[in-house]
Amino acid sequence: MPRTKFGVGGCEHKPALTLVAQSRLEVRLTSFDTISDGLLSASRGSRDRVSRGITRRRFVQGVLAGGVIASLDLSRLPALAQKTASGPPLLSGNSFDLVVEQTPVNFTGRPSVATAVNGFVPGPILRMREGDTVTISVANHLPVDTSIHWHGFRIPSDMDGVPGLSFAGIARNETFVYRFPVKQHGTYWYHSHSRFQEQTGLYGGIIIDPQVEDPIEYDREYVILLSDWTDEDPEAVFSNLKQQSDYYNYHQRTVGTFFSDVRKEGLRATISDRLMWGRMNMNPTDILDVSGATYTYLINGQPPAANWTALFQPRERVRLRFINGSSMTIFDVRIPGLPMTVVQTDGNDIEPVIVDEFRISVAETYDVIVQPPDASAFTIFAQSEDRTGYARATLTPRRGLTAPVPPMDPRPLLTMVDMGLGNMSGMAMGDRPRMKMEAKPPSTPSAVGTVNARRDGYGEVPFPQPSPNTTRPSVPAIAGKPTPPKPITLREGPQVDNVAMRPTERLAEPGNGLDDNGRRVLTYADLRARYRGTDLRPPNREIELHLTGNMERFIWGFNGEKFSSAEPIRLKLGERVRIILVNDTMMEHPIHLHGLWSELENGNGEWRPYKHTINVKPGERLSYLVSADTPGKWAYHCHLLYHMEAGMFRTVIVS
Amino acid sequence: MRTTTAGRESTAEFDSASASALMLILVLVGLIALAPSVTNAQSTATTTQNSGVTSPEEEEPPVMDNQIFGHILFDQLEGRTNGPDNEFRWDGEGWIGTDMNKLWFKSEGFAEHGVATDGDTEALYDRPIPYLRYFDFQAGVRYDLDSNPGMTWGAVGIEGLAPYFFEFAPTFYFSDRGRFAGKVTGWYDLLLTNRLIMQPEFEVNFYNTNDPSRGIGSGLSDLDTGVRIRYEISRKFAPYIGFAYTQTFGETARFTREEGGIVNDPRFIFGTRVWY
Ligand SMILES: [Cu+2]
């Protein structure tokens, strides 16, 4: 890919882009309420390409006058002073011009500097269309290297944006032009893959409109991008964690909680509980490594006080595209009083599930439809898993109308199951058939041919994203049982503080802190793909990986090894593998495989959900299928930023 | 080590040659250990300059998990008083290195009227012990650094987290003149609240021979124990108050008495715990 120097006053690649700021539009909406309906939302039933084009052009009218420069000023206002919360602007088309630069921000009342895209944190929302070939030029105005990774994109590996794997990174004062065909649709996001730039603001949402009519019906849509902000230098955060891993945990058990537990559980039970955890040198309050002690949680770049606000008309179907662009924060999301219908995860449509709450791990996306019944306001409430803070926004029929912010739930405590000691009842997953789906015989593809995997990686994606009009490639059947995984022998040591003795299946559990809270909470077992998978072959090989770490030393890895001391994982182009993950640690890890889909085996057979990021609970064992259909070097890592940098990273080479 | 002697005539000559040799070995060991990380950092520096022409293979790796970190902790910077008599006590440690290879420094001692009456400083190579989760092996040198005739020791020990969050560090010392010594320290953080932390702590010293020049007798020599209650204004800055008790034993106690020192010495303490 050519590198172009970015000169003063312009760039070789002129954008044919459109600019939209949601905020401006909302201002219009308040003034012209009657028109607003037509403005923001085309009636879903009659929506076609043309009407949507018009919708988007009208979006543009709301903002074109100012463009990036005017918007820049808006973003540079102290966030807390902004009574009218604004989100990032929206750029759409097939050509985008992005500038990465340092921008002064103020999220906490203290001025700070963020790594922004076109002056915004989050960066602009990019809206593109499936089937287009998009060109994205990224100019680096930082004093250091940068990069942008297109999270969840199935594109050639040299466009994937991981310095050291896919390309050399974007040096300062250089412009890198990404160009790739878009072969999928849904909600995605982008972020830097250079050191801690993601923590300092380099992330943004992406919407890919499907080539055909979107089967998800909605009248209006918003991107809800969750993130965590700290005024501390992320290098200092990392250093603090290395020196004292509980540095940010101010909710540990104390003498006070000991006595309150004695009152509740009795002296004997409390002492034996303390001894059990103490013997392991483990801490049941260790939920997230970095907490609200330093983080301010943002929705679309707005802290809770600024209250990012989205408008709706009563009874409209509003599509909320939730993206967790955090560095270290897992959120539990709900909208009190408003049930949510989950329709998509990680860009892939699922059978609608009605829930009151869902957990969104780092880097995951969930699209939900809500239908506010009347003209009252609702709070979008996203509390961090460790309950040390929350992000908050408002859905309202008119500006100024807000809803109460609920109190945070009680803080969860880890249990023996999280330690990998199995269920209290003694039921261990290892004794049961591993996957329910295996009860269903795999379909035998009728045609026999070669796997249509292209060596250059360009052009067709051999196994496309499932959709209503997917043509399933005809591939030779794989006979027999898959090659079993190499046995992993792990021993405790400096890099492994725990080995799960009896890892359990936890797909049907909502997660720590969400059990029995009286609400319907989404689980991984609820995710059933809306369309059959495109690669129906059973796996020919199994790979087992343990998620390991030493909490106290803040060392993280796979199979007890950090990235720097481990060999890459090699996949044969065209093969189908089952990856089995066993989480030996006491923390959740969102595991992200670049470039290839991760098809979670959650009991839904050929309707297993396609994901790009799979959250693995403590003490859990799960598996997913991967079609190695795109050659190249791919990153494979925990998406908790400081875990990744501490070594929880592998290279996957498909060749 | 804790004695109350001061100004005694030197009988043990300080073997500067052996000290320098030990120091040199230590620095070399440290450099060898840190070499991979340093080269790593250097290659990063060079590739950023010409990243436009290098291929991904020559680039810095996608994650830098062998980064060098540094840490300096003064867990005791305190005044100790028993009414008429005041003294200053310091105890600190620092390290620099990667997850698996570190260079440690430890220093502790007492000062009175601006003069160090009893102090030692250690430089140690540190490496996690295989198959143990929380313990590191440490080896290096110790130099007794105060106004008394000093001695240089070789040092071998372990330091880490014993079950039940009990920090524990026994070290064995040896000199080229056939002397041996041992030091055991331990401490525990009891959270009264998440910011108010009570820390009981102890240190004991043993010697195999008498060293009248430093007022040390063979056997169990001395105990320094205390309880501190600190308030963590931040993790890195915590003022504290507490109570310390020191006692000398056996021959050491006899030396102490001869010097007019106190064998059982309880004191109130106030200080600050800081780290960087
Ligand atoms: Cu992780």
Side-chain angles (χ1 to χ4, degrees):
Chain A
M1 209 55 209
R3 267 162 189 283
T4 57
K5 284 278 175 209
F6 191 84
V8 183
C11 170
E12 286 178 21
H13 300 267
K14 276 278 168 243
L17 50 80
T18 13
L19 268 173
V20 172
Q22 278 175 322
S23 60
R24 299 297 180 89
L25 195 77
E26 283 152 15
V27 173
R28 279 189 73 113
L29 284 172
T30 29
S31 339
F32 310 99
D33 231 11
T34 41
I35 327 172
S36 69
D37 213 34
L39 260 182
L40 236 193
S41 40
S43 155
R44 190 54 197 79
S46 65
R47 224 151 64 125
D48 57 23
R49 278 185 112 140
V50 179
S51 74
R52 270 199 287 179
I54 290 167
T55 309
R56 228 164 282 145
R57 215 168 308 129
R58 288 210 186 128
F59 256 87
V60 176
Q61 289 166 1
V63 87
L64 255 191
V68 168
I69 310 299
S71 311
L72 260 181
D73 296 332
L74 191 75
S75 77
R76 280 173 181 166
L77 286 171
L80 289 169
Q82 280 177 267
K83 281 280 169 284
T84 316
S86 66
L90 189 143
L91 312 178
S92 73
N94 57 19
S95 177
F96 303 89
D97 256 19
L98 305 181
V99 177
V100 179
E101 60 190 351
Q102 291 186 327
T103 300
V105 290
N106 190 335
F107 294 109
T108 61
R110 238 186 317 176
S112 188
V113 178
T115 310
V117 180
N118 295 6
F120 287 93
V121 176
I125 299 164
L126 309 184
R127 182 159 212 153
M128 46 190 82
R129 177 173 291 278
E130 184 179 21
D132 282 0
T133 293
V134 298
T135 307
I136 310 173
S137 94
V138 178
N140 180 8
H141 291 186
L142 299 175
V144 294
D145 283 16
T146 193
S147 60
I148 294 186
H149 161 61
W150 317 100
H151 189 106
F153 275 52
R154 303 257 286 128
I155 50 179
S157 68
D158 56 350
M159 293 289 110
D160 195 49
V162 181
L165 283 189
S166 16
F167 72 152
I170 310 171
R172 68 195 182 101
N173 293 325
E174 279 192 16
T175 297
F176 185 86
V177 181
Y178 294 87
R179 192 177 157 82
F180 49 80
V182 179
K183 298 284 180 188
Q184 62 201 107
H185 59 266
T187 305
Y188 300 90
W189 65 299
Y190 61 89
H191 60 83
S192 172
H193 231 285
S194 301
R195 197 58 177 168
F196 298 126
Q197 287 169 15
E198 192 185 332
Q199 175 79 84
T200 57
L202 208 172
Y203 44 77
I206 298 176
I207 300 169
I208 308 176
D209 289 310
Q211 215 162 9
V212 295
E213 176 96 356
D214 194 334
I216 299 169
E217 295 188 358
Y218 57 97
D219 305 304
R220 191 191 285 263
E221 62 181 297
Y222 292 101
V223 167
I224 308 288
L225 197 154
L226 303 158
S227 63
D228 46 25
W229 172 267
T230 171
D231 284 333
E232 282 185 277
D233 179 350
E235 298 285 354
V237 173
F238 195 33
S239 170
N240 289 342
L241 290 169
K242 280 281 185 186
Q243 292 169 59
Q244 185 182 343
S245 60
D246 63 357
Y247 189 94
Y248 295 103
N249 184 354
Y250 282 98
H251 292 99
Q252 303 186 40
R253 301 204 288 188
T254 63
V255 171
T257 61
F258 177 83
F259 286 112
S260 72
D261 283 1
V262 168
R263 275 194 300 278
K264 272 181 284 184
E265 318 284 341
L267 183 63
R268 181 185 288 256
T270 305
I271 288 175
S272 79
D273 173 76
R274 295 302 193 271
L275 289 178
M276 193 273 287
W277 287 95
R279 195 169 52 239
M280 308 285 296
N281 280 335
M282 299 270 188
N283 183 343
T285 66
D286 228 332
I287 307 292
L288 295 173
D289 294 312
V290 189
S291 72
T294 189
Y295 276 152
T296 301
Y297 302 106
L298 311 178
I299 284 185
N300 292 338
Q302 302 296 331
N307 188 23
W308 185 85
T309 298
L311 292 169
F312 67 84
Q313 296 281 313
R315 289 173 306 284
E316 270 184 332
R317 289 171 62 88
V318 183
R319 178 177 190 168
L320 303 174
R321 299 173 182 266
F322 283 94
I323 301 165
N324 189 350
S326 295
S327 293
M328 289 298 279
T329 309
I330 298 170
F331 287 102
D332 293 328
V333 179
R334 62 196 155 105
I335 308 175
L338 205 53
M340 300 178 280
T341 307
V342 185
V343 292
Q344 190 187 92
T345 179
D346 291 5
N348 290 282
D349 293 350
I350 58 161
E351 289 294 346
V353 190
I354 299 171
V355 299
D356 300 313
E357 184 167 24
F358 62 89
R359 171 160 293 177
I360 182 167
S361 195
V362 175
E364 285 190 302
T365 77
Y366 286 95
D367 284 28
V368 309
I369 303 285
V370 292
Q371 203 163 8
D374 50 36
S376 48
F378 297 91
T379 295
I380 300 174
F381 185 68
Q383 53 183 341
S384 68
E385 187 192 357
D386 63 354
R387 314 294 184 238
T388 55
Y390 60 87
R392 163 249 187 161
T394 296
L395 276 178
T396 184
R398 62 186 160 84
R399 279 222 170 275
L401 186 65
T402 57
V405 178
M408 283 192 287
D409 289 335
R411 270 182 291 279
L413 282 179
L414 299 172
T415 66
M416 312 261 266
V417 179
D418 299 310
M419 215 186 257
L421 295 176
N423 294 323
M424 303 299 181
S425 61
M427 249 308 253
M429 176 51 194
D431 308 334
R432 277 186 274 161
R434 192 184 297 123
M435 287 300 146
K436 280 173 259 168
M437 60 149 292
E438 283 178 352
K440 200 172 180 176
S443 75
T444 326
S446 50
V448 174
T450 52
V451 174
N452 185 24
R454 295 259 309 244
R455 293 256 148 213
D456 59 5
Y458 278 81
E460 292 301 313
V461 177
F463 293 105
Q465 181 184 33
S467 66
N469 60 331
T470 303
T471 37
R472 232 164 253 106
S474 52
V475 288
I478 294 170
K481 285 204 171 300
T483 317
K486 270 198 223 113
I488 310 288
T489 25
L490 276 177
R491 285 192 60 179
E492 286 173 353
Q495 306 200 39
V496 181
D497 65 11
N498 186 45
V499 179
M501 279 171 1
R502 284 189 299 278
T504 49
E505 188 202 3
R506 310 189 70 179
L507 294 171
E509 294 177 34
N512 278 326
L514 296 175
D515 298 303
D516 310 315
N517 63 8
R519 302 188 284 263
R520 291 168 294 181
V521 188
L522 186 75
T523 72
Y524 267 7
D526 296 329
L527 306 177
R528 182 180 169 85
R530 191 147 174 181
Y531 321 106
R532 253 170 105 208
T534 48
D535 189 353
L536 301 179
R537 296 172 301 164
N540 56 285
R541 187 152 73 100
E542 295 184 335
I543 297 171
E544 183 169 324
L545 290 165
H546 285 240
L547 314 179
T548 53
N550 188 318
M551 200 77 175
E552 184 69 23
R553 298 179 185 272
F554 207 75
I555 296 175
W556 301 97
F558 290 98
N559 292 346
E561 278 186 285
K562 298 194 290 186
F563 166 76
S564 54
S565 62
E567 286 296 307
I569 298 166
R570 291 178 190 278
L571 303 184
K572 255 186 80 172
L573 185 61
E575 80 169 321
R576 179 98 162 136
V577 296
R578 168 179 287 135
I579 295 182
I580 300 164
L581 295 183
V582 178
N583 188 351
D584 286 329
T585 78
M586 304 280 295
M587 297 212 128
E588 294 184 37
H589 301 280
I591 302 297
H592 171 45
L593 173 59
H594 287 221
L596 311 169
W597 288 121
S598 301
E599 305 167 32
L600 180 66
E601 295 191 285
N602 63 349
N604 283 311
E606 291 173 355
W607 285 265
R608 65 185 79 88
Y610 278 47
K611 285 180 68 63
H612 49 59
T613 309
I614 290 181
N615 191 54
V616 192
K617 298 183 182 82
E620 181 173 47
R621 176 195 182 94
L622 58 72
S623 71
Y624 53 96
L625 300 180
V626 173
S627 292
D629 63 355
T630 320
K633 286 186 186 173
W634 300 107
Y636 181 57
H637 60 93
C638 174
H639 221 284
L640 299 177
L641 186 58
Y642 301 96
H643 286 193
M644 176 176 89
E645 286 295 323
M648 212 169 199
F649 188 106
R650 281 288 188 280
T651 304
V652 169
I653 298 176
V654 180
S655 61
Chain B
M1 197 187 76
R2 167 82 180 110
T3 70
T4 51
T5 55
R8 188 178 287 270
E9 274 302 312
S10 165
T11 51
E13 77 262 23
F14 165 50
D15 185 351
S16 64
S18 68
S20 320
L22 272 165
M23 273 293 184
L24 187 68
I25 290 164
L26 184 86
V27 169
L28 283 177
V29 167
L31 281 180
I32 291 161
L34 297 178
S37 327
V38 174
T39 19
N40 209 336
Q42 280 166 350
S43 71
T44 310
T46 48
T47 47
T48 26
Q49 281 161 14
N50 51 16
S51 59
V53 288
T54 49
S55 72
E57 279 73 22
E58 297 162 43
E59 282 301 310
E60 68 182 80
V63 293
M64 306 274 283
D65 59 22
N66 268 323
Q67 197 189 338
I68 296 172
F69 291 92
H71 180 65
I72 298 171
L73 164 71
F74 285 100
D75 60 344
Q76 296 173 13
L77 277 180
E78 65 196 22
R80 292 187 174 189
T81 181
N82 57 8
D85 188 29
N86 299 317
E87 61 187 1
F88 175 74
R89 160 83 178 169
W90 81 89
D91 185 309
E93 61 185 37
W95 51 256
I96 180 165
T98 61
D99 290 335
M100 301 306 280
N101 296 290
K102 288 187 179 74
L103 195 53
W104 271 68
F105 299 95
K106 298 179 184 179
S107 179
E108 64 165 322
F110 290 87
E112 251 173 302
H113 314 297
V115 180
T117 53
D118 176 17
D120 71 64
T121 299
E122 295 173 47
L124 306 157
Y125 167 72
D126 171 290
R127 189 177 175 82
I129 302 170
Y131 307 119
L132 289 183
R133 296 175 293 170
Y134 307 117
F135 270 96
D136 286 21
F137 167 79
Q138 298 177 333
V141 289
R142 156 177 158 184
Y143 180 56
D144 295 330
L145 195 71
D146 51 41
S147 53
N148 297 315
M151 222 178 114
T152 304
W153 306 83
V156 178
I158 62 169
E159 173 157 358
L161 197 60
Y164 308 104
F165 298 101
F166 184 71
E167 291 275 355
F168 184 59
T171 315
F172 174 73
Y173 304 97
F174 54 93
S175 81
D176 54 352
R177 278 164 289 169
R179 291 198 175 144
F180 300 101
K183 172 154 70 180
V184 180
T185 58
W187 64 97
Y188 182 83
D189 275 352
L190 179 69
L191 274 63
L192 302 176
T193 75
N194 270 278
R195 287 182 187 271
L196 193 65
I197 297 161
M198 184 161 95
Q199 187 189 63
E201 156 272 337
F202 75 89
E203 172 185 327
V204 287
N205 284 287
F206 309 86
Y207 295 88
N208 74 326
T209 53
N210 290 349
D211 182 355
S213 72
R214 294 186 62 81
I216 289 163
S218 66
L220 173 62
S221 147
D222 58 86
L223 161 78
D224 182 298
T225 185
V227 176
R228 290 166 185 77
I229 296 182
R230 67 175 187 267
Y231 184 79
E232 293 196 347
I233 293 169
S234 77
R235 289 283 189 220
K236 296 180 181 176
F237 183 78
Y240 61 80
I241 54 165
F243 175 78
Y245 175 77
T246 58
Q247 183 174 352
T248 48
F249 303 94
E251 283 293 290
T252 311
R254 189 172 62 81
F255 284 127
T256 307
R257 269 187 225 103
E258 282 174 9
E259 283 300 308
I262 315 159
V263 172
N264 309 306
D265 191 5
R267 289 174 187 242
F268 286 106
I269 52 182
F270 49 92
T272 310
R273 179 184 193 264
V274 286
W275 61 272
Y276 311 98

